[in-house]
């Protein structure tokens, strides 16, 4: 395994990353076409190494840079593409992919007819969007012209961008002669996803101020898109109250979890000393690494919340 390049987030090159990928693509093409002479120390002789790139592994922003499909807006999903049912939240102003998953269920699944527990009033009769093959994707991206790299490259957009497609460029990886024949082109890094999912779940259940997803704007959107009467804001004259959600812990239960985390001990090598990352006075976690989020998601969250939240949650 070779760590080719590491691009920092705030100063990432965006679509200009292809400038940095040019030497890599040239070497990969050479490895596939003519190979590289390599010395076998065990046999004391040379041989020709032939190699191919199977896929890339990246987080979601890097996925967009490398694949050429923008990860912003309602067409952000690189699999459903223009066939997804994402919509813009009225109060939060963000793209929401809520209830875009029922089309993947079997046609006779009971959730398809459920008008109450998903997007209010919606019955799902559509089938899953077609999955394009590598050859079909190659035919699509071949229609887009090369972009001019440089300071102005971020402002270049093809007509109808964000309406019928989210392509911002033709990826440099399509220059590899075998890339269109690969079954899989890009993978998502699970550790990044686990970290983000954990923060959203934990901060919402623990009602962390400024970080919970259960805020006023979310409650206003619930009225428009969901059938959750117990989640709606309660108005009393000029005062507006936010009823406590069933998935939010009370203060004493929150403190109980932080004290439990403070007392945890793990086998050597299983995780870092998480007890050092807990501040029971301020009721918060700090300094956690990616593997710590993984341990929380896989092991600790089920144990921590099982007896404190309602059974349905």
């Amino acid at each position: 395994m070779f760590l080719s390049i590491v691009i920092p987030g705030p100063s990432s090159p965006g679509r200009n990353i292809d400038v940095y990928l040019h030497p890599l693509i040239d070497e990969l093409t050479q490895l596939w076409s003519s190979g590289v002479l390599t010395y076998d120390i065990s046999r004391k002789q040379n041989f020709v190494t032939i190699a191919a790139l199977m896929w890339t592994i990246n987080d979601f922003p890097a996925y967009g840079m490398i694949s050429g499909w923008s990860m912003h807006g309602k067409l952000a999903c690189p699999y459903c593409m223009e066939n997804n049912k994402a919509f813009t939240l009225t109060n939060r102003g963000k793209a929401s992919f809520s209830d875009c998953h029922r089309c993947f269920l079997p046609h006779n699944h009971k959730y398809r007819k459920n008008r109450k527990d998903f997007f209010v009033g919606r019955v799902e009769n559509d089938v899953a969007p077609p999955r394009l093959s590598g050859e079909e994707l190659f035919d699509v991206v071949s229609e887009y012209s090369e972009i001019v790299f440089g300071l102005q490259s971020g402002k270049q957009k093809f007509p109808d961008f964000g309406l019928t497609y989210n392509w911002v460029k033709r990826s440099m990886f399509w220059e590899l002669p075998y890339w269109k024949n690969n079954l899989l082109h890009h993978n998502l890094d699970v550790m990044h996803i686990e970290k983000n999912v954990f923060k959203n779940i934990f901060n919402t259940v623990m009602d962390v101020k400024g970080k919970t997803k259960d805020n006023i704007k979310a409650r206003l959107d619930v009225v428009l898109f969901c059938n959750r009467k117990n989640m709606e804001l309660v108005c009393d004259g000029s005062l507006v109250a936010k009823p406590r959600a069933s998935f939010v812990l009370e203060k004493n239960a929150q403190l109980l979890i932080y004290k439990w985390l403070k007392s945890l001990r793990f086998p050597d090598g299983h995780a870092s000393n998480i007890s050092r990352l807990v501040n029971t006075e301020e009721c918060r976690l700090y300094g956690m690494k990616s593997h710590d989020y993984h341990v929380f998601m896989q092991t600790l969250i089920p144990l921590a919340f099982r007896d404190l939240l309602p059974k349905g949650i």
Side-chain angles (χ1 to χ4, degrees):
M1 296 176 64
F2 296 92
L3 186 63
S4 301
I5 50 177
V6 177
I7 304 298
S11 57
S12 65
R15 69 179 74 184
N16 286 327
I17 197 173
D18 283 2
V19 176
Y20 300 92
L21 292 176
H22 258 295
L24 174 64
I25 299 300
D26 291 342
E27 291 186 358
L28 287 172
T29 303
Q30 180 185 357
L31 276 169
W32 175 257
S33 57
S34 58
V36 175
L37 195 63
T38 309
Y39 183 69
D40 187 342
I41 188 64
S42 62
R43 297 184 177 182
K44 302 292 191 291
Q45 64 185 26
N46 292 324
F47 68 98
V48 176
T49 297
I50 303 293
L53 177 67
M54 297 180 66
W55 51 66
T56 69
I57 304 176
N58 2 255
D59 60 5
F60 213 51
Y63 193 120
M65 292 184 209
I66 292 177
S67 68
W69 182 270
S70 175
M71 298 301 160
H72 302 282
K74 292 187 289 186
L75 302 183
C77 178
Y79 293 108
C80 298
M81 294 185 164
E82 70 276 6
N83 297 309
N84 75 63
K85 296 183 178 180
F87 60 95
T88 302
L89 294 172
T90 304
N91 294 282
R92 298 206 65 186
K94 294 183 177 181
S96 173
F97 292 82
S98 175
D99 200 22
C100 289
H101 60 291
R102 282 196 289 168
C103 60
F104 293 91
L105 294 172
H107 189 67
N108 59 347
H109 200 285
K110 63 179 182 180
Y111 283 173
R112 282 180 169 269
K113 303 295 183 181
N114 193 325
R115 297 174 180 265
K116 178 182 177 181
D117 297 324
F118 299 96
F119 198 103
V120 62
R122 177 188 289 177
V123 174
E124 185 59 77
N125 294 316
D126 295 338
V127 296
R131 178 74 179 274
L132 297 181
S133 65
E135 290 84 354
E136 291 171 328
L137 278 175
F138 180 72
D139 292 338
V140 172
V141 298
S142 297
E143 299 178 0
Y144 297 102
S145 58
E146 293 282 353
I147 67 168
V148 179
F149 296 114
L151 295 177
Q152 300 298 319
S153 67
K155 299 180 180 180
Q156 301 175 67
K157 288 186 178 180
F158 301 121
D160 296 328
F161 171 80
L163 300 176
T164 58
Y165 63 87
N166 251 26
W167 293 111
V168 296
K169 67 176 181 179
R170 183 169 67 245
S171 173
M172 186 65 58
F173 286 97
W174 291 108
E175 295 189 8
L176 296 174
Y178 54 83
W179 194 246
K180 63 180 180 181
N181 298 318
N182 282 8
L183 296 178
L184 182 65
H185 299 103
H186 306 286
N187 272 311
L188 286 171
D189 177 11
V190 177
M191 283 291 187
H192 280 86
I193 298 173
E194 276 190 318
K195 175 182 177 181
N196 294 333
V197 172
F198 168 78
K199 284 185 174 181
N200 290 335
I201 292 177
F202 190 83
N203 291 334
T204 299
V205 174
M206 302 295 283
D207 199 22
V208 179
K209 186 177 180 180
K211 296 183 179 181
T212 176
K213 296 298 181 181
D214 182 28
N215 49 40
I216 297 297
K217 290 183 177 180
R219 292 295 181 97
L220 292 173
D221 285 325
V222 163
V223 178
L224 301 175
F225 304 111
C226 305
N227 185 14
R228 305 278 196 278
K229 298 298 181 181
N230 59 326
M231 296 282 289
E232 297 179 6
L233 298 175
V234 178
C235 298
D236 184 11
S238 59
L239 300 177
V240 177
K242 186 181 75 170
R244 190 178 68 86
S246 58
F247 50 78
V248 174
L249 293 177
E250 297 180 349
K251 293 296 182 181
N252 58 342
Q254 296 175 21
L255 183 60
L256 185 63
I257 285 185
Y258 284 114
K259 289 182 177 179
W260 173 68
L261 293 174
K262 190 70 176 178
S263 65
L264 282 179
R265 297 293 182 270
F266 291 102
D268 184 42
H270 180 77
S272 60
N273 191 350
I274 291 180
S275 62
R276 294 182 179 179
L277 312 179
V278 182
N279 189 325
T280 55
E281 295 180 357
E282 299 180 8
C283 289
R284 70 183 187 95
L285 301 174
Y286 60 91
M288 290 175 58
K289 305 299 183 183
S290 294
H291 187 71
D292 298 328
Y293 292 112
H294 171 73
V295 172
F296 260 94
M297 283 294 294
Q298 299 294 331
T299 306
L300 299 183
I301 276 190
L303 294 174
F305 295 155
R306 181 176 57 188
D307 293 331
L308 298 176
L309 288 174
K311 186 175 180 180
I313 302 296

